[in-house]
């Protein structure tokens, strides 16, 4: 089941401290176990520590009779802390594109992400979302070094019947983005989705290439795609891309296969940027708007 590990960590905690009859040492021991379990479920250490400390604070000094139930307090504390972290505003891409287009310019989104995380599939899903909303986006294949990358995007472009702008092999990726934006402007297209190269995030040439694309394309939105299944790697990528290039939002892919569940929390904590969509499968419809309340209710075992 999706997010199984995070859900069971929290339900174990709630079960163990259902009644206020624990000594402080017992409480500390339970919370320490929870801390380790949260980290195993891909919750970043600092966030896990903040959550257990908050739970402890909410219980210590609580004026309730020994033996009375306190599980609601634990759940409420976790809910409040998680929502404080995850509520970072929403981006309604279609409305944003609509208003930019009314001013006469296309809405430009540049996508970043390490190879294999699901970036190309995610771009295709976003293209599908725009098409369904009545906008035909232009795809820009600005990964000019990996031949396969352009071909992969071309397959999606033809399936979705959307134009694709690509460059010669080895051409300047920033010029491909520029050409796509000019093409959109001259023909009245409202949306440009720019794919970029995805070599390792520790590659400084890659970061310079990305910075140049951003300087040239002046995107309205810089989106990082990460893979939910990669845990601390996803966090490291988020931190690095945000520090080097600056990102505005994150899409977490492969959530449908994520039994741990904590990556979403950790990438937000590492960057302060919102998760806006979740990839939940391999087909074009498998993209969900990320709703922090639903996510938190799910991991706390509450009805959504
Ligand atoms: P890229 O190298 O980052 O462009 O990654 P791709 O878009 O080629 O995706 C890599 C693999 O992940 C492909 O097999 C995709 O079908 C798969 N994939 C992408 N997004 C999702 C998702 O949300 N869920 C699942 N289960 N698989 C996905």
């Amino acid at each position: 089941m999706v997010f199984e590990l995070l859900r069971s960590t929290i339900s174990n905690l709630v079960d163990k401290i259902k009644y206020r009859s624990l000594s402080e040492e017992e409480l500390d021991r339970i919370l320490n176990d929870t801390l380790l379990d949260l980290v195993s479920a891909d919750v970043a250490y600092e966030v896990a520590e903040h959550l257990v400390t908050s739970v402890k604070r909410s219980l210590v000094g609580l004026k309730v009779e020994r033996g009375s139930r306190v599980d609601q307090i634990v759940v409420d504390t976790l809910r409040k802390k998680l929502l404080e972290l995850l509520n970072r505003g929403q981006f309604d891409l279609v409305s944003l594109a609509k208003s930019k287009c009314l001013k006469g310019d296309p809405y430009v989104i540049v996508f970043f992400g390490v190879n294999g995380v699901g970036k190309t599939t995610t771009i295709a899903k976003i293209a599908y979302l725009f098409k369904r909303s009545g906008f035909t986006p232009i795809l820009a294949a600005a990964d000019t070094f990996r031949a396969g990358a352009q071909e992969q995007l071309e397959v999606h472009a033809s399936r979705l019947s959307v134009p694709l702008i690509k460059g010669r092999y080895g051409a300047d990726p920033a010029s491909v983005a520029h050409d796509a934006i000019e093409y959109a402007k001259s023909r009245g297209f409202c949306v440009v989705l720019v794919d970029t190269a995805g070599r390792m995030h520790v590659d400084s040439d890659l970061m310079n290439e990305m910075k140049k694309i951003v300087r040239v394309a002046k995107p309205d939105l810089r989106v990082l795609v990460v893979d939910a299944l990669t845990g601390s790697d996803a966090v490291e990528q988020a931190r690095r891309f945000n520090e080097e290039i600056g990102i505005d939002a994150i899409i977490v892919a492969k959530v449908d296969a994520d039994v741990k569940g904590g990556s979403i929390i950790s990438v937000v904590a590492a960057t302060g940027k919102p998760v806006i969509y979740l990839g939940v499968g391999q087909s074009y419809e498998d993209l969900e708007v990320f709703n922090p309340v639903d996510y938190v209710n799910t991991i706390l075992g509450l009805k959504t």
Side-chain angles (χ1 to χ4, degrees):
M1 188 195 285
V2 79
F3 309 151
E4 170 98 18
L5 200 52
L6 192 48
R7 289 155 68 125
S8 64
T9 296
I10 292 176
S11 76
N12 285 342
L13 170 69
V14 172
D15 278 351
K16 283 185 197 151
I17 42 179
K18 198 176 264 176
Y19 298 99
R20 187 69 188 97
S21 45
L22 301 165
S23 68
E24 185 150 354
E25 290 89 75
E26 282 169 320
L27 184 60
D28 280 341
R29 192 177 38 73
I30 291 166
L31 288 174
N32 203 36
D33 287 347
T34 303
L35 173 74
L36 300 178
D37 290 347
L38 287 170
V39 172
S40 305
D42 286 341
V43 177
Y45 188 87
E46 316 83 73
V47 184
E49 202 173 33
H50 176 61
L51 293 175
V52 297
T53 310
S54 304
V55 169
K56 182 163 180 194
R57 274 207 205 108
S58 72
L59 295 176
V60 168
L62 192 70
K63 300 260 181 304
V64 292
E65 272 182 34
R66 220 176 149 70
S68 54
R69 283 185 76 146
V70 293
D71 42 350
Q72 195 56 44
I73 294 166
V74 175
V75 170
D76 288 348
T77 304
L78 290 172
R79 191 167 191 279
K80 178 164 173 273
K81 293 293 161 190
L82 286 166
L83 286 175
E84 267 170 23
L85 173 71
L86 294 169
N87 270 330
R88 309 248 155 196
Q90 273 301 310
F91 289 79
D92 179 349
L93 296 187
V94 174
S95 315
L96 288 166
K98 213 177 266 178
S99 47
K100 180 94 191 281
C101 204
L102 281 173
K103 292 181 198 142
D105 275 326
Y107 189 74
V108 179
I109 310 179
V110 175
F111 293 84
F112 306 109
V114 168
N115 285 336
V117 295
K119 176 161 50 75
T120 316
T121 310
T122 301
I123 294 171
K125 288 174 179 176
I126 297 284
Y128 176 76
L129 172 101
F130 275 114
K131 273 217 88 173
R132 249 185 0 192
S133 312
F135 294 95
T136 298
I138 308 276
L139 302 187
D143 180 355
T144 55
F145 290 95
R146 205 166 59 90
Q150 300 219 3
E151 281 158 22
Q152 209 185 336
L153 206 59
E154 211 160 17
V155 171
H156 290 300
S158 88
R159 271 195 212 144
L160 291 162
S161 307
V162 301
L164 173 88
I165 304 295
K166 55 180 187 171
R168 275 174 297 102
Y169 175 77
D172 180 0
S175 77
V176 177
H178 176 263
D179 290 351
I181 295 166
E182 288 307 311
Y183 181 94
K185 278 184 183 165
S186 64
R187 288 171 176 76
F189 284 93
C190 285
V191 180
V192 179
L193 307 177
V194 182
D195 185 22
T196 62
R199 302 184 297 273
M200 283 311 291
H201 56 289
V202 288
D203 180 334
S204 62
D205 284 347
L206 175 74
M207 288 301 167
N208 288 332
E209 183 180 316
M210 299 298 118
K211 284 179 198 166
K212 186 170 176 198
I213 292 176
V214 167
R215 271 200 313 277
V216 171
K218 299 185 185 61
D220 297 284
L221 199 67
R222 296 160 298 176
V223 173
L224 178 71
V225 182
V226 295
D227 175 343
L229 308 181
T230 61
S232 56
D233 272 353
V235 177
E236 199 35 50
Q237 290 158 19
R239 186 173 287 127
R240 177 86 195 217
F241 274 93
N242 192 39
E243 281 169 8
E244 292 270 344
I245 310 161
I247 56 171
D248 302 304
I250 303 167
I251 296 180
V252 182
K254 308 188 196 175
V255 165
D256 51 305
D258 181 16
V259 290
K260 293 187 171 181
S263 292
I264 294 171
I265 297 171
S266 304
V267 292
V268 175
T271 58
K273 299 296 154 60
V275 167
I276 54 171
Y277 287 98
L278 304 178
V280 294
Q282 307 203 26
S283 52
Y284 295 145
E285 301 86 25
D286 292 332
L287 185 75
E288 287 179 2
V289 172
F290 175 64
N291 179 329
V293 172
D294 289 351
Y295 168 73
V296 170
N297 285 349
T298 301
I299 61 179
L300 292 177
L302 302 170
K303 285 211 171 64
T304 57

